[in-house]
């Protein structure tokens, strides 16, 4: 039973009877199940849901699972409500595609999570948490993570719930419009910090959902449940996962351990690979003892989270699996993006394509050996970001025509000493060039200029505000067109 204490009338909902409660992954303190108690009182870590595995394994069998569909086929190991209709938009049951064209010498398997309803693995978690909240809350709020907002908005629309989303102005244009089309109220604020502050301060019946919510995360572990089932209840040698918040890879390892405990899978467990962009890699920093203070931009922006909430758990999962964390640069990611599209027919988001770049690197280094079976989790669709698709079509990014507005933006940054952020640029455009452009539009131009090679992200000012710097190409262009 789960106790609901954050609504006007105290309620109790009957959930999966195999749930034991919640536990802190760091200090191992145990808590009763509570939809509103998601952090440890002692260390502030996000809690994890634990089950009575002895009872669960008596009810779960391979043959029973074969007769079910979607993520709810694994309901004995999910916090599902007993007395409610389980919501679904057709999430889960995503294809596992075998290929030898992308990385010669290994058996490569592409777990294509782009086939989920909104093109993201996050649909698994959104499906679960909206099923829980339906009938308790009518309003949700989330911040910063546009992929999560789009996913939650779709499931909120299904049941008539309202979603408010707070985001910084450099949100991807495709995800911005998708969230609005699905009925979300989108609030563009100055920075990530303000987005978190505004969203977490909402009351009056709002339930705050972020990417580390333990109920949301439980749905994400079904990626691994499906992978094992598709391989006849065996594990591959490696599972390669993009890492942003650290939640997905943590839950994949939780699924590996759970299937072992209930004796559904008895093969050797996989080794995990966590992949991050070279420009921002706090997980890899933990492994090699370095610390990169400056974020200078990456095409895989979905993997950039300041203070990732599940970083420690992701690190521990990789260590326990005898795995590795690896950095890849944008050039390697773009090559993987193009190859996934042209050789396998998969339009992946940059974060998802980073897995292929990492596998190639590890194969060249001999860490992934010839004959290994490697599963790459293709976490999301490139169709979410039309700017990325456009850049793939363009064979030479620097040959794209610069509009007058973009030229003025480059000149404004030059007036700021060669680097600046949105509000500074906006003021120069208004005062020097009499251009009244909204902040979201300015950030859209900045992103395109970055893709063209005229700007790079230097760092995050005050940990939240993105700072752009002119590249050598931009300086040369401005010199020619003074």
């Amino acid at each position: 039973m789960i106790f609901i204490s954050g609504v006007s009338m105290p309620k109790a909902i009957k959930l999966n009877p195999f749930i034991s409660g919640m536990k802190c992954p760091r200090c191992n303190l145990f808590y009763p199940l509570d939809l509103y108690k998601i952090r440890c009182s002692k260390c502030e870590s996000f809690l994890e849901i634990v089950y009575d595995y002895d009872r669960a394994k008596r009810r779960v069998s391979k043959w029973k699972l074969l007769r079910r569909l979607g993520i709810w086929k694994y309901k004995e190991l999910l916090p599902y409500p007993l007395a409610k209709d389980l919501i679904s938009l057709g999430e889960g049951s995503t294809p596992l595609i075998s290929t030898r064209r992308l990385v010669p010498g290994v058996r490569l398997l592409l777990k294509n999570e782009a086939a989920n309803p909104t093109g993201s693995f996050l649909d698994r978690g959104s499906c679960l948490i909206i099923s829980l909240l339906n009938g308790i809350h009518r309003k949700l709020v989330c911040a910063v993570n546009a992929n999560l907002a789009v996913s939650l908005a779709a499931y909120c629309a299904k049941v008539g719930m309202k979603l408010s989303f707070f985001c910084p102005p450099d949100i991807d244009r495709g995800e911005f419009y998708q969230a609005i089309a699905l009925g979300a109220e989108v609030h563009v604020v100055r920075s990530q910090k303000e987005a978190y502050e505004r969203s977490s301060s909402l009351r009056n019946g709002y339930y705050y959902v972020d990417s580390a919510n333990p109920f949301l995360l439980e749905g994400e572990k079904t990626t691994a449940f499906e992978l094992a089932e598709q391989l006849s209840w065996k594990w591959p040698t490696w599972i390669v996962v993009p890492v942003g918040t650290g939640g997905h890879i943590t839950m994949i390892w939780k699924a590996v351990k759970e299937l072992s405990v209930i004796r559904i899978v008895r093969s050797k467990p996989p080794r995990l690979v966590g992949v991050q962009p070279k420009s921002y890699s706090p997980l890899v920093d933990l492994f090699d003892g370095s610390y990169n203070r400056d974020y200078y931009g990456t095409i895989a922006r979905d993997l950039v989270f300041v203070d990732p909430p599940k970083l420690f758990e992701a690190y521990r999962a990789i260590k326990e699996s005898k795995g590795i964390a690896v950095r890849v640069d944008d050039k390697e990611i773009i090559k993987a993006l193009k190859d996934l599209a042209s050789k396998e027919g998969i339009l992946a988001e940059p974060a998802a394509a980073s897995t292929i770049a990492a596998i190639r690197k590890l194969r060249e280094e001999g860490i992934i050996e010839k004959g290994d079976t490697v599963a790459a989790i293709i976490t999301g669709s490139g169709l979410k970001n039309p700017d990325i698709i456009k850049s793939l079509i363009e064979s030479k990014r620097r040959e794209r025509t610069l509009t007058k507005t973009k030229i003025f933006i480059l000149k404004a940054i030059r007036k700021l000493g060669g680097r600046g952020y949105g509000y500074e640029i906006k003021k120069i455009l208004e005062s020097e060039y009499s251009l009244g452009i909204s902040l979201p539009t300015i950030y859209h131009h900045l992103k395109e200029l970055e893709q063209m090679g005229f700007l790079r992200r230097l760092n995050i000012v005050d940990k939240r505000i993105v700072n752009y710097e002119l590249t050598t190409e931009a300086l040369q262009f401005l010199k020619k067109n003074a």
Side-chain angles (χ1 to χ4, degrees):
M1 184 173 289
I2 182 169
F3 294 96
I4 308 299
S5 56
V7 290
S8 57
M9 292 292 290
K11 297 182 181 180
I13 302 172
K14 290 184 177 180
L15 289 193
N16 179 357
F18 305 135
I19 295 176
S20 299
M22 304 177 81
K23 187 176 75 171
C24 176
R26 290 202 182 194
C27 56
N28 291 319
L29 288 178
F30 192 84
Y31 298 85
L33 198 65
D34 189 329
L35 193 59
Y36 297 88
K37 181 65 177 177
I38 63 174
R39 285 181 179 265
C40 177
S41 301
K42 182 179 179 181
C43 70
E44 288 294 308
S45 296
F46 284 92
L47 302 178
E48 293 181 351
I49 297 171
V50 293
Y51 301 82
D52 184 338
Y53 296 109
D54 287 334
R55 291 180 62 200
K57 72 182 179 184
R58 291 195 290 267
R59 290 288 300 274
V60 181
S61 70
K62 298 175 184 178
W63 313 114
K64 184 180 290 188
L65 292 174
L66 283 173
R67 295 194 294 269
R68 302 175 183 173
L69 295 173
I71 73 164
W72 297 117
K73 71 189 302 180
Y74 311 108
K75 63 182 183 179
E76 285 83 3
L77 294 174
L78 296 174
Y80 75 98
L82 293 177
K84 291 185 180 182
D85 292 332
L86 300 176
I87 297 163
S88 177
L89 292 175
E91 63 291 321
S93 302
T94 57
L96 185 66
I97 302 163
S98 179
T99 177
R100 295 185 183 273
R101 300 180 68 194
L102 295 175
V103 186
V106 302
R107 182 194 178 200
L108 179 59
L109 305 169
L110 308 175
K111 180 62 172 163
N112 188 12
E113 293 293 280
N116 280 302
T118 73
S120 170
F121 75 96
L122 289 164
D123 291 343
R124 298 174 179 272
S126 296
C127 170
L128 196 152
I129 199 162
I130 298 301
S131 292
L132 278 174
L133 295 173
N134 187 28
I136 302 170
H137 281 274
R138 303 311 302 164
K139 297 182 287 187
L140 267 67
V141 60
C142 68
V144 177
N145 189 334
N147 262 329
L148 178 59
V150 170
S151 181
L152 287 172
Y155 287 87
C156 284
K158 173 71 174 176
V159 298
M161 296 173 72
K162 173 186 174 183
L163 176 71
S164 293
F165 173 49
F166 291 83
C167 63
D170 60 343
I171 179 177
D172 286 325
R173 180 176 57 170
E175 292 167 339
F176 175 81
Y177 288 120
Q178 285 176 48
I180 293 174
L182 289 166
E185 286 187 357
V186 180
H187 306 270
V188 180
V189 296
R190 289 171 59 98
S191 64
Q192 281 193 20
K193 181 180 180 181
E194 184 180 346
Y196 284 124
E197 290 172 348
R198 291 274 301 275
S199 60
S200 60
S201 67
L202 283 183
R203 296 292 184 267
N204 299 322
Y206 277 94
Y207 184 86
Y208 177 73
V209 181
D210 67 11
S211 52
N213 182 290
F215 297 93
L216 179 91
L217 287 175
E218 284 294 298
E220 294 177 16
K221 74 183 181 184
T222 59
T223 304
F225 288 164
E226 283 183 13
L227 177 60
E229 185 175 1
Q230 288 168 321
L231 292 174
S232 301
W233 301 110
K234 295 179 181 178
W235 293 117
T237 318
W238 302 86
I239 299 178
V240 186
V241 191
V243 176
T245 66
H248 199 194
I249 196 168
T250 298
M251 298 312 292
I252 284 173
W253 185 241
K254 186 173 188 279
V256 170
K257 294 191 290 186
E258 287 179 343
L259 291 182
S260 175
V261 169
I262 66 173
R263 303 186 71 77
I264 291 290
V265 178
R266 305 190 185 196
S267 68
K268 183 179 178 181
R271 300 175 68 182
L272 300 182
V273 177
V275 189
Q276 294 195 303
K278 185 177 180 181
S279 67
Y280 190 79
S281 51
L283 176 65
V284 189
D285 293 344
L286 283 178
F287 278 88
D288 61 20
S290 62
Y291 180 60
N292 177 20
R293 294 180 180 274
D294 290 332
Y295 163 56
Y296 51 86
T298 175
I299 192 173
R301 295 179 53 215
D302 289 335
L303 299 183
V304 177
F305 289 87
V306 178
D307 301 324
K310 301 293 284 186
L311 184 65
F312 167 78
E313 290 85 351
Y315 173 79
R316 187 171 65 181
I318 294 171
K319 291 284 284 186
E320 287 180 1
S321 76
K322 299 181 174 61
I324 190 171
V326 62
R327 300 181 183 91
V328 291
D329 62 35
D330 279 10
K331 184 178 179 181
E332 294 166 324
I333 293 172
I334 291 170
K335 177 69 165 62
L337 264 177
K338 292 180 178 178
D339 288 346
L340 274 168
S342 63
K343 296 181 179 180
E344 297 298 331
I346 296 175
L347 289 170
E349 64 182 3
S354 71
T355 58
I356 305 303
I359 294 166
R360 286 170 167 171
K361 177 172 285 190
L362 295 175
R363 179 72 186 98
E364 290 174 1
E365 295 173 357
I367 295 172
I368 291 178
E369 298 180 348
K370 184 176 181 180
D372 283 354
T373 299
V374 186
I377 310 300
I378 307 300
T379 47
S381 171
L383 294 174
K384 286 174 168 285
N385 191 331
D387 294 329
I388 297 298
I389 303 301
K390 185 178 180 181
S391 69
L392 290 178
I393 296 171
E394 305 283 350
S395 60
K396 294 182 179 180
R397 294 177 297 163
R398 292 174 179 83
E399 292 180 1
R400 293 168 60 181
T401 303
L402 281 173
T403 63
K404 289 183 178 180
T405 300
K406 286 184 172 61
I407 294 172
F408 282 132
I409 288 173
L410 292 177
K411 289 181 178 180
I413 296 173
R414 183 173 62 180
K415 284 182 176 291
L416 290 167
R419 66 180 65 171
Y421 57 90
Y423 271 92
E424 293 179 320
I425 298 167
K426 188 174 188 297
K427 290 177 181 178
I428 296 293
L429 292 174
E430 290 172 347
S431 63
E432 299 289 334
Y433 304 109
S434 301
L435 285 177
I437 305 174
S438 69
L439 200 59
T441 301
I442 289 174
Y443 273 103
H444 175 66
H445 283 296
L446 291 171
K447 282 172 54 184
E448 288 193 339
L449 286 166
E450 182 184 6
Q451 291 172 351
M452 295 164 67
F454 289 99
L455 293 178
R456 61 172 168 265
R457 298 187 194 205
L458 182 64
N459 55 26
I460 299 177
V461 179
D462 296 328
K463 293 189 175 182
R464 294 295 185 267
I465 301 173
V466 178
N467 208 22
Y468 287 88
E469 182 179 59
L470 296 174
T471 63
T472 302
E473 290 86 350
L475 293 171
Q476 290 173 349
F477 174 85
L478 291 172
K479 186 176 181 180
K480 291 179 183 177
N481 298 271

